């Protein structure tokens, strides 16, 4: 009798766990970072969301200083250029949720992000843009993403001020947890 009760308990707990557990979504963090702040935030997001990471690296690296980069980035924007990306992302189709991070450049996404959105199709994906910025109070550069990727769904947005990045780890983690990513697993 005791044995029977034990077997029953094991079976019930196994079914209980199976009923409660949800499939985890496959999550990717993509970022472009010129001077490291966006990379820091992207790494925290990836740790917290158990995600893979892909860095958008320009084929022609930008100068290391802010001052030298300004005129280059300005002319890229004025001429709506599409700076080339060094490496290709191989398996976008295997991800359900994609965080996409960049530094704010002149109130917009750097043009290399436009190259990125030109090259990949995010139809059916959940997108979470994240941006680091110096001080612009309003622009975050993400208003164009729905036009560039009309078949994707934006499920959250995060902006972190550059001067606060170092102290923002717990804010970033809270943000990731608030998204309840398990709700976005592709059940197919
Ligand atoms: C070319 C250029 C343009 C920028 N334009 C803006 C801007 O319009 N508004 C803003 O708040 N910060 C601006 N910044 C500051 C960056 O957004 C900020 O330093 C960002 O956190 C850098 O991220 P990173 O370290 O990942 O490159 C600009 C920086 C550069 C290099």
């Amino acid at each position: 009798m005791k044995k029977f009760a034990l077997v029953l308990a094991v079976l019930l707990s196994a079914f209980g766990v199976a009923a409660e557990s949800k499939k985890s979504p496959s999550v990717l963090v993509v970022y472009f970072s010129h001077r490291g702040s966006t990379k820091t935030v992207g790494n925290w997001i990836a740790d917290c969301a158990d995600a893979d990471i892909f860095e958008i690296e320009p084929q022609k690296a930008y100068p290391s200083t802010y001052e030298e980069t300004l005129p280059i980035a300005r002319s890229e924007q004025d001429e709506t250029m599409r700076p080339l990306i060094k490496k290709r992302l191989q398996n976008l189709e295997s991800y359900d949720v994609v965080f996409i991070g960049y530094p704010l450049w002149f109130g917009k996404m750097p043009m290399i992000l436009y190259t990125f959105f030109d090259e990949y199709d995010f139809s059916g994906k959940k997108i979470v843009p994240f941006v680091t910025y110096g001080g612009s109070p309003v622009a975050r550069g993400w208003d164009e993403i729905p036009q560039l990727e009309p078949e994707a769904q934006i499920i959250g947005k995060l902006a972190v001020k550059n001067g606060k990045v170092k102290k923002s780890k717990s804010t970033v983690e809270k943000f990731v947890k608030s998204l309840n990513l398990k709700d976005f697993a592709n059940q197919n």
Side-chain angles (χ1 to χ4, degrees), residues 30-187:
V30 173
Y31 69 86
F32 164 66
S33 181
H34 172 227
R35 292 174 41 91
S37 293
T38 315
K39 179 178 184 161
T40 298
V41 174
N43 282 330
W44 288 334
I45 292 173
D47 282 349
C48 189
D50 198 16
D52 293 338
I53 296 195
F54 176 78
E55 179 175 4
I56 299 174
E57 292 175 83
Q59 213 165 77
K60 188 168 186 295
Y62 292 97
S64 56
T65 67
Y66 171 79
E67 290 75 18
E68 284 174 293
T69 305
L70 280 181
I72 298 169
R74 173 54 87 194
S75 73
E76 283 179 357
Q77 210 175 81
D78 289 349
E79 293 166 40
T80 58
M81 283 159 83
R82 295 289 189 267
L84 296 177
I85 297 173
K86 210 187 220 174
K87 288 187 215 138
R88 239 194 114 65
L89 168 64
Q90 294 299 343
N91 51 347
L92 179 62
E93 61 286 349
S94 61
Y95 296 100
D96 303 314
V97 179
V98 186
F99 289 78
I100 302 180
Y102 52 88
L104 193 68
W105 278 8
F106 308 115
K108 290 180 80 178
M109 292 189 295
M111 295 314 288
I112 199 161
L113 265 296
Y114 290 79
T115 313
F116 182 75
F117 281 116
D118 280 355
E119 287 182 5
Y120 301 94
D121 179 9
F122 283 82
S123 299
K125 307 272 178 221
K126 316 296 180 211
I127 296 182
V128 186
F130 64 98
V131 57
T132 70
Y133 65 100
S136 299
V138 183
R140 296 289 177 260
W142 50 43
D143 291 343
E144 273 197 72
I145 297 177
Q147 287 151 39
L148 297 170
E149 298 296 337
E151 302 298 324
Q153 185 193 355
I154 294 189
I155 58 167
K157 299 167 184 167
L158 176 70
V160 184
K161 197 168 174 171
N162 183 290
K164 293 190 174 166
V165 165
K166 283 190 183 139
K167 290 186 176 167
S168 295
K169 190 173 183 198
S170 63
T171 309
V172 171
E173 288 171 348
K174 241 184 234 164
F175 168 73
V176 172
K177 285 176 187 153
S178 76
L179 295 172
N180 295 317
L181 291 176
K182 280 204 162 188
D183 293 346
F184 300 105
N186 187 345
Q187 298 299 334

